[in-house]
Amino acid sequence: MLGMCRGRRKFFIASFAILFIPALTWLYLSAGNFQVKSLPLSPLESQTATLPGGGLRERLALEMRVREVEEENRALRRELAQPPRAAPRHGRHGNQSRTYSTEEGTGDSEGQRAASNNSECVPHPPVDKCETIHVAIVCAGYNASRDVVTLVKSVLFHRRNPLHFHFITDSIAQRILASLFDTWMVPAVRVDFYDADELKSEVSWIPNKHYSGIYGLMKLVLTKTLPSSLQRVIVLDTDITFATDIAELWAVFHKFKGQQVLGLVENQSDWYLGNLWKNHRPWPALGRGFNTGVILLLLDRLRKLKWEQMWRLTAERELMSMLSTSLADQDIFNAVIKQNPFLVYQLPCFWNVQLSDHTRSEKCYKDVSDLKVIHWNSPKKLRVKNKHVEFFRNLYLTFLEYDGNLLRRELFGCPSEADHNSENLQKTLSELDEDDPCYEFRRERFTVHRTHLYFLHYEYEPADDHTDVTLVAQLSMDRLQMLEAICKHWEGPISLALYLSDAEAQQFLRYAQGSEVLMSRSNVGYHIVYKEGQFYPVNLLRNVAMKQVNTPYMFLSDIDFLPMYGLYEYLRKSVVQLDMVNTKKALVVPAFETLRYRLSYPKSKAELLSQLDMGTLFTFRYHVWTKGHAPTNFAKWRTATTPYRVQWEADFEPYVMVRRDSPEYDRRFVGFGWNKVAHIMELDAQEYEFVVLPNAYMIHMPHAPSFDITKFRSNKQYRVCLKTLKEEFQQNMSRRYGFAALKYMTAENNS
């Protein structure tokens, strides 16, 4: 813009010189012929004109001046013919500061009006293409960890710069977000975590009534928490949605001048005016005060101003009369600004459109068509009352249900830190033969699926007697209806991996929050593995669920099975009875099935045997896959009163309880076929004993065939690839376990 303004000025001057000066010269020269005496321009010129021969000398001097002007005009035309040069940029990468003029934006309304009226000629240095933008977010707990993902998606969707997220988290949020970003693998995004628990002592002395609790005060200590080398940062609440490139907000830093160190948007409610209700007494603030959902912090200047001492002294003074904060850190920020108004640069309202219960934000977006940031700063969040809430809600839902896999975009032309996991993955994939008919099967084994652990609140401490057991299962959207029934049958902890799209994850959330059964259980861990690729990664899902087990033992089940009532306690007693602590055992729970959607579930072994005899129940897969459970020896189980040991046989795939440190499932098996068989073979190779429990059982409930079993039955190439993968697995077993693994090859050939 600056270059354009300069260009217009030069063109105007050149045109003026080219047209006006020759005309003036002609008139001047003609004046000598007509004997018109020129007016003296200076005392010196007046004296020269009176000398003998002064007219001749004057004429010669004027001709020389004309030639000089014409030469200048030619030089100017040559310069204008050159292509315009870009204005020099002074930005640096990373945390380095940029040198700013003290004549730039003031932050007051008059300065903003002046800037808008002269926007075409005011210099706005852009953010460097590869400059890293730093974002700090305080995030604690399961719900905030889920909500912040929508914020991150909206930022990633619009961004064109490398990003560095600084998360101040509790242990829960760190575990969830670390796993999410590790599996998301977004290029040019770095994430660091800071332990919020270590900061509690810094702010715990401040009484706070806000629903954010102690974590709502932690933005006050960012100058102390974040690295000393970090000079500026954008601070965001988790309930923010971006509608533009965050680099535009980062560029606002250059408008700070003097001692301005905080960039804030004015509060868009009457809260700090104290007129919302009778006897309403807010903390002191400058006018309407400022909202701290979006903050620009110049950390280096804040440290020089002794920010820590400044806000502490202010808080201590105000708490003597206010007793507690109502809006957490926002009250203290405003009290400091009230005393030191020079600290704040007022951001335009569109950088924080606030949708609180008492909002007056309509005055902002009635005048501003290009909204930048939406802030759901009400405890009701999306349910807030606002006549335009549907517009804002739809924008939020766009990112809420947006496929996060599409945000793995490269920033070409920007050097990024080496990501060894990504490099190793690319190297492995490059070694695969894309012409291999089974390429897609092999590729799925190495696909990194974005994973969000503990999608809902989870709270469970294992029993002190070291016998606790977690039920492990996996499912997709078409099996959600089984969750309530399983929770009614199994009162112990459950770890579930759900294979969903981003939109389906939100459908599941609404389903779970609307279920009294599911909401009454805090010991069920729901782990979302996001869809990618054409196969159902069944063994990956099982491994994800297994890794989140925090009890000594786990019962490896499937979502279509209902365990018998009381199985949880029965398995815990079996841990002691069979000395599971000191032996490697896999306790087999016999599996049955029914073809009836409405089943009177047997409450005892005697009832089950009766239904088995009447044909209401059957041994599992007796009519299509007898080998899968034949070694359980159902005939012996009918009369057994004590646990009995069985031997491994080819294609054996029982449901077992094992120790938490048992081997994982092999990821090469996806969709339908051999996914459990391979795992049981691995257990046998590691010398686990298979022990059948005489008074335990589980029943498979009927359902429509899965998409993967349909592909297995209809697609010959699918079956060919599965056979190839089986052979490769067996060869791998032979290499790992040597002579002991030969029996698996022999058994397979004989079966």
Side-chain angles (χ1 to χ4, degrees):
M1 189 65 71
L2 181 60
M4 185 180 297
C5 293
R6 289 176 175 169
R8 289 175 180 172
R9 259 195 321 266
K10 290 180 179 179
F11 182 77
F12 178 77
I13 292 170
S15 302
F16 178 83
I18 292 170
L19 296 175
F20 183 72
I21 291 177
L24 181 63
T25 304
W26 181 82
L27 287 173
Y28 215 118
L29 294 175
S30 299
N33 296 330
F34 287 98
Q35 302 297 316
V36 178
K37 187 175 180 180
S38 62
L39 294 174
L41 301 178
S42 66
L44 179 62
E45 185 178 299
S46 178
Q47 295 172 13
T48 306
T50 61
L51 297 173
L56 180 60
R57 288 197 299 273
E58 182 178 305
R59 183 168 179 171
L60 292 173
L62 184 59
E63 288 177 349
M64 185 177 297
R65 178 59 183 156
V66 168
R67 285 194 292 271
E68 290 176 357
V69 170
E70 288 179 344
E71 181 61 33
E72 290 177 3
N73 288 343
R74 282 193 290 272
L76 182 58
R77 283 195 293 272
R78 286 195 298 271
E79 183 176 348
L80 290 174
Q82 298 292 327
R85 290 177 295 178
R89 295 185 295 181
H90 303 288
R92 299 178 183 176
H93 297 284
N95 303 336
Q96 299 300 318
S97 65
R98 180 176 286 155
T99 304
Y100 305 119
S101 168
T102 57
E103 298 301 317
E104 291 173 332
T106 63
D108 57 16
S109 57
E110 184 178 349
Q112 289 177 12
R113 285 195 298 271
S116 62
N117 293 337
N118 301 283
S119 59
E120 290 187 353
C121 293
V122 175
H124 289 290
V127 177
D128 286 353
K129 174 183 177 182
C130 298
E131 181 176 355
T132 299
I133 296 172
H134 293 265
V135 181
I137 303 171
V138 178
C139 182
Y142 299 98
N143 293 338
S145 300
R146 185 178 64 246
D147 294 340
V148 77
V149 175
T150 306
L151 161 60
V152 172
K153 281 184 181 179
S154 69
V155 173
L156 291 176
F157 180 85
H158 296 287
R159 66 103 179 213
R160 295 192 178 109
N161 285 72
L163 296 172
H164 188 163
F165 288 102
H166 302 264
F167 285 103
I168 295 85
T169 62
D170 62 355
S171 58
I172 293 169
Q174 178 173 351
R175 182 180 184 182
I176 294 170
L177 295 176
S179 170
L180 177 65
F181 279 99
D182 283 346
T183 54
W184 204 340
M185 301 180 73
V186 183
V189 170
R190 178 179 169 183
V191 179
D192 282 327
F193 296 95
Y194 308 83
D195 190 354
D197 293 333
E198 295 182 357
L199 305 174
K200 286 183 177 179
S201 61
E202 301 283 341
V203 293
S204 59
W205 57 275
I206 305 173
N208 179 29
K209 294 180 180 178
H210 194 255
Y211 63 84
S212 60
I214 193 171
Y215 298 101
L217 297 163
M218 291 192 174
K219 284 184 277 188
L220 293 166
V221 296
L222 288 179
T223 54
K224 192 173 182 179
T225 306
L226 297 176
S228 58
S229 59
L230 184 60
Q231 298 185 9
R232 52 189 167 142
V233 67
I234 297 173
V235 186
L236 302 173
D237 280 355
T238 58
D239 52 4
I240 292 288
T241 305
F242 266 77
T244 191
D245 189 347
I246 196 172
E248 294 181 33
L249 181 57
W250 187 256
V252 176
F253 273 114
H254 87 274
K255 295 185 178 181
F256 285 34
K257 75 169 193 176
Q259 289 185 293
Q260 290 174 337
V261 291
L262 304 169
L264 293 163
V265 171
E266 185 181 51
N267 201 45
Q268 292 165 6
S269 77
D270 291 345
W271 177 272
Y272 287 107
L273 299 181
N275 58 11
L276 291 182
W277 58 79
K278 188 177 180 180
N279 299 325
H280 175 216
R281 187 172 170 235
W283 275 55
L286 194 65
R288 288 187 176 277
F290 295 91
N291 184 277
T292 56
V294 177
I295 315 176
L296 271 61
L297 291 183
L298 275 179
L299 296 171
D300 53 341
R301 294 190 194 174
L302 279 166
R303 294 180 182 115
K304 291 177 182 177
L305 291 172
K306 298 183 178 179
W307 167 253
E308 284 284 323
Q309 181 179 352
M310 188 182 296
W311 75 259
R312 283 177 181 274
L313 291 174
T314 302
E316 289 171 358
R317 182 181 65 248
E318 298 300 332
L319 284 170
M320 292 177 68
S321 58
M322 299 303 298
L323 303 181
S324 67
T325 61
S326 297
L327 299 181
D329 66 88
Q330 184 168 301
D331 284 338
I332 298 175
F333 270 102
N334 275 288
V336 173
I337 292 170
K338 174 75 171 179
Q339 295 295 319
N340 307 278
F342 58 85
L343 294 177
V344 69
Y345 172 88
Q346 184 173 335
L347 297 172
C349 64
F350 51 70
W351 282 116
N352 186 352
V353 177
Q354 301 146 40
L355 301 179
S356 60
D357 290 326
H358 306 288
T359 185
R360 292 179 177 270
S361 59
E362 185 178 349
K363 292 183 178 180
C364 173
Y365 59 78
K366 266 189 172 180
D367 300 330
V368 181
S369 59
D370 187 19
L371 298 178
K372 307 288 188 182
V373 173
I374 297 169
H375 186 189
W376 301 88
N377 62 322
S378 164
K380 300 175 183 177
K381 301 308 176 188
L382 297 187
R383 298 187 302 277
V384 68
K385 292 181 180 179
N386 183 297
K387 63 181 180 181
H388 299 116
V389 72
E390 280 301 315
F391 169 79
F392 297 110
R393 186 182 291 128
N394 289 335
L395 179 62
Y396 176 83
L397 293 175
T398 298
F399 296 110
L400 183 72
E401 301 184 353
Y402 188 82
D403 184 353
N405 297 329
L406 300 179
L407 298 171
R408 292 168 169 163
R409 298 193 300 261
E410 290 282 353
L411 294 183
F412 295 105
C414 293
S416 58
E417 295 182 11
D419 184 345
H420 298 297
N421 291 334
S422 180
E423 290 177 354
N424 292 337
L425 175 62
Q426 294 302 320
K427 180 180 178 181
T428 301
L429 293 177
S430 66
E431 293 172 353
L432 298 178
D433 182 6
E434 294 189 23
D435 295 327
D436 182 352
C438 302
Y439 170 78
E440 293 298 334
F441 283 86
R442 301 187 192 283
R443 192 183 192 284
E444 175 58 38
R445 180 182 181 184
F446 303 105
T447 299
V448 178
H449 290 263
R450 184 166 42 102
T451 303
H452 188 129
L453 305 177
Y454 298 101
F455 201 65
L456 294 176
H457 180 78
Y458 180 82
E459 189 173 350
Y460 184 74
E461 287 295 329
D464 294 332
D465 60 4
H466 305 292
T467 64
D468 219 341
V469 186
T470 299
L471 185 148
V472 173
Q474 39 72 38
L475 68 151
S476 53
M477 196 68 182
D478 59 344
R479 298 290 196 272
L480 281 185
Q481 71 278 4
M482 290 295 298
L483 293 180
E484 288 190 352
I486 288 177
C487 286
K488 291 177 180 177
H489 279 249
W490 178 275
E491 64 271 26
I494 302 174
S495 182
L496 299 172
L498 298 88
Y499 192 56
L500 306 173
S501 66
D502 291 76
E504 288 174 341
Q506 298 309 312
Q507 294 176 39
F508 159 70
L509 179 62
R510 292 190 289 270
Y511 169 80
Q513 291 176 336
S515 168
E516 292 184 8
V517 174
L518 301 186
M519 286 295 97
S520 66
R521 296 285 295 271
S522 60
N523 63 347
V524 180
Y526 301 96
H527 315 297
I528 309 297
V529 177
Y530 288 100
K531 286 184 175 179
E532 186 171 359
Q534 59 176 301
F535 296 106
Y536 183 76
V538 57
N539 279 356
L540 167 66
L541 296 172
R542 287 173 171 144
N543 291 341
V544 168
M546 285 170 59
K547 288 178 181 177
Q548 304 314 313
V549 169
N550 65 347
T551 57
Y553 303 95
M554 51 190 181
F555 173 44
L556 307 179
S557 183
D558 270 341
I559 198 66
D560 302 317
F561 281 89
L562 290 181
M564 74 174 196
Y565 291 108
L567 181 60
Y568 171 61
E569 290 297 335
Y570 180 70
L571 290 177
R572 290 183 62 181
K573 292 177 182 177
S574 299
V575 168
V576 178
Q577 180 184 356
L578 298 172
D579 192 23
M580 292 283 288
V581 176
N582 301 310
T583 58
K584 293 175 71 174
K585 290 188 176 72
L587 305 188
V588 177
V589 177
F592 300 86
E593 68 176 329
T594 181
L595 302 180
R596 299 184 180 184
Y597 284 88
R598 290 175 177 247
L599 173 70
S600 177
Y601 199 93
K603 295 181 175 58
S604 65
K605 181 177 179 178
E607 282 189 33
L608 181 138
L609 291 175
S610 175
Q611 293 185 15
L612 198 61
D613 293 337
M614 289 188 299
T616 305
L617 294 178
F618 308 93
T619 56
F620 185 55
R621 291 290 184 260
Y622 80 101
H623 56 301
V624 293
W625 187 246
T626 307
K627 294 187 296 183
H629 295 266
T632 301
N633 195 345
F634 289 99
K636 183 174 182 177
W637 182 83
R638 292 178 69 102
T639 58
T641 56
T642 58
Y644 59 93
R645 184 178 177 181
V646 296
Q647 298 297 320
W648 175 88
E649 295 180 18
D651 299 321
F652 190 29
E653 53 175 5
Y655 294 93
V656 297
M657 183 189 81
V658 292
R659 293 197 312 228
R660 184 175 58 187
D661 61 356
S662 68
E664 293 184 347
Y665 288 82
D666 194 294
R667 279 197 59 187
R668 82 185 77 203
F669 297 105
V670 295
F672 177 80
W674 249 62
N675 45 74
K676 291 192 302 293
V677 172
H679 185 248
I680 295 299
M681 188 182 293
E682 186 90 31
L683 292 177
D684 183 67
Q686 294 193 14
E687 299 181 344
Y688 276 75
E689 296 180 21
F690 296 100
V691 178
V692 180
L693 299 175
N695 295 307
Y697 56 88
M698 59 197 300
I699 299 176
H700 181 268
M701 304 305 292
H703 58 79
S706 67
F707 180 61
D708 290 283
I709 196 170
T710 302
K711 286 195 294 186
F712 172 81
R713 292 170 177 170
S714 62
N715 190 326
K716 180 180 178 182
Q717 187 59 48
Y718 192 111
R719 297 191 296 273
V720 169
C721 289
L722 178 59
K723 185 174 184 297
T724 301
L725 294 176
K726 285 166 54 177
E727 293 172 352
E728 292 176 356
F729 174 77
Q730 289 169 333
Q731 293 170 4
N732 183 258
M733 289 282 287
S734 298
R735 287 193 295 270
R736 290 164 57 203
Y737 298 106
F739 181 78
L742 291 177
K743 69 174 182 178
Y744 306 122
M745 303 283 288
T746 306
E748 179 65 21
N749 293 332
N750 293 335
S751 62

